């Protein structure tokens, strides 16, 4: 990762961390309130062949506001429908990131099969002036900050018992939008700070005659 940071700094590029996630009608585990000794149980509709797929990019550049770009797709399990994002989808996401960020990018992602397609390598070779691609090692989710964004999305829908795939897709997209348009830390409402105590005041000794 040190090589990627130095390359991005030398070229004035954005660092893009890309990752994928999916969510079915069966919600992830979440915490909630309940009576002592009684585990709350909510019946959900976990069956069905549909799910929602997300591909996102966490974009960073020193001196710039961080950005979040994503692609979203609903898979209904129909015949002939792709079950995941294709290399064309990743190509379009990279081109959109380059267009919106208006500058060179250093792309960091894992060894997904679609990432290693010859078409993706040809795209990087044909546009060598702006994309630089770095492959993450296998089984290293802790190196990708995009994983934290998926955790926020799934935490927000943990207590949702979606009736159908459309309701699930609407909830996921709403949370993705919230994360995308969340104000940067510098623009959030600051917490009220307690006044700092001043310097200690020197106590002058007094005699008993002065007290009387």
């Amino acid at each position: 990762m040190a090589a990627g940071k130095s390359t991005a700094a030398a070229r004035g590029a954005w660092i893009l961390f890309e990752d994928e996630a999916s969510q079915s009608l069966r919600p992830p585990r979440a915490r909630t309130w309940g009576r002592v000794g009684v585990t709350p149980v909510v019946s959900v509709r976990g069956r069905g062949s549909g799910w929602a797929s997300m591909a996102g990019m966490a974009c960073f550049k020193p001196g710039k506001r961080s950005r979040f770009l994503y692609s979203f797709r609903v898979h209904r399990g129909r015949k002939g429908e792709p079950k995941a994002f294709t290399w064309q989808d990743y190509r379009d996401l990279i081109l959109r990131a380059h267009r919106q960020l208006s500058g060179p990018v250093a792309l960091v992602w894992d060894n997904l099969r679609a990432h290693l397609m010859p078409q993706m390598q040809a795209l990087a070779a044909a546009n060598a002036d702006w994309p630089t691609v770095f492959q993450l090692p296998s089984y290293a989710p802790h190196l990708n900050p995009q994983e934290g964004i998926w955790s926020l999305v799934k935490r927000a829908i943990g207590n949702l018992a979606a009736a159908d795939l459309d309701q699930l897709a609407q909830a996921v997209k709403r949370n993705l939008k919230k994360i995308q348009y969340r104000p940067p830390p510098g623009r959030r409402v600051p917490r009220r700070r307690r006044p700092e105590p001043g310097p200690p005041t020197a106590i002058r000794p007094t005699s008993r005659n002065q007290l009387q």
Side-chain angles (χ1 to χ4, degrees):
M1 296 305 299
K5 291 181 179 179
S6 59
T7 301
R11 302 183 60 183
W14 286 79
I15 302 180
L16 313 183
F17 293 90
E18 194 277 339
D19 194 54
E20 312 77 28
S22 62
Q23 180 60 49
S24 63
L25 287 174
R26 184 175 183 178
R29 289 186 177 182
R31 293 183 178 182
T32 185
W33 297 98
R35 297 176 58 184
V36 178
V38 180
T39 302
V41 178
V42 179
S43 300
V44 297
R45 183 180 178 182
R47 295 182 179 180
S49 57
W51 65 91
S53 294
M54 304 163 280
M57 286 184 174
C59 313
F60 304 95
K61 185 178 182 180
K64 297 288 186 178
R65 175 187 174 183
S66 58
R67 304 281 296 275
F68 171 55
L69 306 176
Y70 69 90
S71 292
F72 183 82
R73 173 173 292 182
V74 176
H75 304 273
R76 302 185 181 275
R78 297 171 180 171
K79 186 176 181 180
E81 184 183 25
K83 297 182 179 180
F85 286 105
T86 63
W87 70 268
Q88 293 93 336
D89 299 320
Y90 294 110
R91 176 201 60 191
D92 297 340
L93 181 59
I94 295 173
L95 295 177
R96 178 156 57 93
H98 174 59
R99 182 174 62 256
Q100 294 187 10
L101 300 176
S102 301
V105 298
L107 178 60
V108 183
W109 58 9
D110 54 17
N111 297 316
L112 189 69
R113 181 179 180 182
H115 298 168
L116 304 178
M117 295 291 290
Q119 294 87 341
M120 297 301 300
Q121 299 177 4
L123 174 65
N127 302 275
D129 55 333
W130 60 269
T132 305
V133 181
F134 296 91
Q135 301 289 340
L136 286 171
S138 302
Y139 306 105
H142 58 283
L143 298 178
N144 195 337
Q146 181 61 36
E147 295 283 354
I149 297 180
W150 299 145
S151 178
L152 292 176
V153 174
K154 296 195 174 185
R155 186 187 309 171
I157 63 174
N159 293 320
L160 173 67
D164 51 23
L165 190 58
D166 292 331
Q167 184 181 3
L168 173 66
Q170 183 179 4
V172 172
K173 291 179 68 175
R174 180 171 61 250
N175 286 283
L176 288 172
K177 285 290 184 181
K178 287 182 179 180
I179 296 175
Q180 187 177 34
Y181 293 103
R182 178 178 296 178
R187 297 184 182 179
R188 293 180 185 174
V189 179
R191 296 181 179 178
R192 293 184 178 181
R193 303 178 63 179
R194 295 181 179 179
E196 297 181 359
T201 305
I203 300 177
R204 301 176 63 181
T206 57
S207 62
R208 291 185 178 180
N209 296 332
Q210 293 178 344
L211 293 176
Q212 294 176 355

